[in-house]
Amino acid sequence: MAVLSSTALTGITTRLAGASMSAGSVIQVVSSVKSDTTSWSSATSKTDTGLSATITPSSSSSKILMKYVLCVGWSGGNVPQFTVHLDRGGTEIGQGDAGPASQKRAHAQTFNYHEANYLAHSFSGSFLDSPSTTSATTYKLQVYTATTGGTIYINRSARDYDGTHYDSRLSSNLILMEVAA
């Protein structure tokens, strides 16, 4: 039986690390799961959801594929409306082009026409970013509430009743994938 020494393994690892990946190959994956709950009243500025992850690209030409699932409940106010914002190190990414001066720019906009307080809804999305860096980079998910007079809940319904099949506790997630250019 052949046995590999630690010197042989180090040599193999060094060669693999230096090998070039073909374009589109996934180099690394980092994920973050938020399984606890949080809530806040309608805000007039972007609010962190608690979902963030940090990745260190191996090459400045790499792209980062950001994928997320955000689970949200709502109570009170009018028909809930909020926008989803993607943040890379303090810079908003993946937003629409500029429009009229008063128009908000965002990655996604959601409406919840079903105002039942026993439901939470799952929203998902993705964005391919080009951070052009090899430094550790933090991505996070934020929301802006456009409806006043209510409360947003992450990973739970507004009612959060113990005893039914409607009021599930959920988990949200953020996945970052480094993709070779």
Side-chain angles (χ1 to χ4, degrees):
M1 173 186 285
V3 178
L4 290 174
S5 69
S6 61
T7 305
L9 286 175
T10 301
I12 292 170
T13 304
T14 301
R15 285 192 299 282
L16 284 174
S20 63
M21 302 288 286
S22 61
S25 298
V26 175
I27 299 169
Q28 64 173 310
V29 178
V30 175
S31 67
S32 174
V33 175
K34 179 176 177 54
S35 58
D36 63 338
T37 64
T38 190
S39 64
W40 62 89
S41 297
S42 298
T44 56
S45 61
K46 290 181 277 187
T47 303
D48 288 345
T49 61
L51 267 176
S52 68
T54 301
I55 192 166
T56 304
S58 60
S59 169
S60 60
S61 64
S62 291
K63 302 204 180 294
I64 303 298
L65 179 59
M66 181 182 191
K67 298 176 66 97
Y68 64 88
V69 174
L70 180 63
C71 302
V72 178
W74 171 266
S75 70
N78 300 314
V79 174
Q81 172 192 352
F82 63 93
T83 52
V84 177
H85 300 265
L86 311 179
D87 179 277
R88 179 205 337 114
T91 300
E92 188 166 351
I93 57 172
Q95 60 188 359
D97 290 342
S102 63
Q103 195 172 37
K104 298 284 184 226
R105 296 171 63 197
H107 172 70
Q109 183 168 330
T110 63
F111 287 94
N112 177 3
Y113 289 107
H114 198 289
E115 295 185 48
N117 68 352
Y118 57 85
L119 293 174
H121 299 273
S122 298
F123 302 99
S124 62
S126 60
F127 179 71
L128 187 62
D129 186 34
S130 301
S132 301
T133 186
T134 56
S135 298
T137 305
T138 299
Y139 290 81
K140 64 183 175 179
L141 207 57
Q142 298 176 312
V143 296
Y144 172 87
T145 311
T147 307
T148 59
T151 302
I152 287 184
Y153 301 90
I154 301 294
N155 293 337
R156 57 164 272 205
S157 67
R159 184 173 73 171
D160 201 31
Y161 179 70
D162 182 19
T164 70
H165 298 289
Y166 294 103
D167 298 271
S168 299
R169 286 289 179 102
L170 306 164
S171 68
S172 298
N173 65 68
L174 172 62
I175 301 171
L176 304 176
M177 291 182 266
E178 180 183 2
V179 180

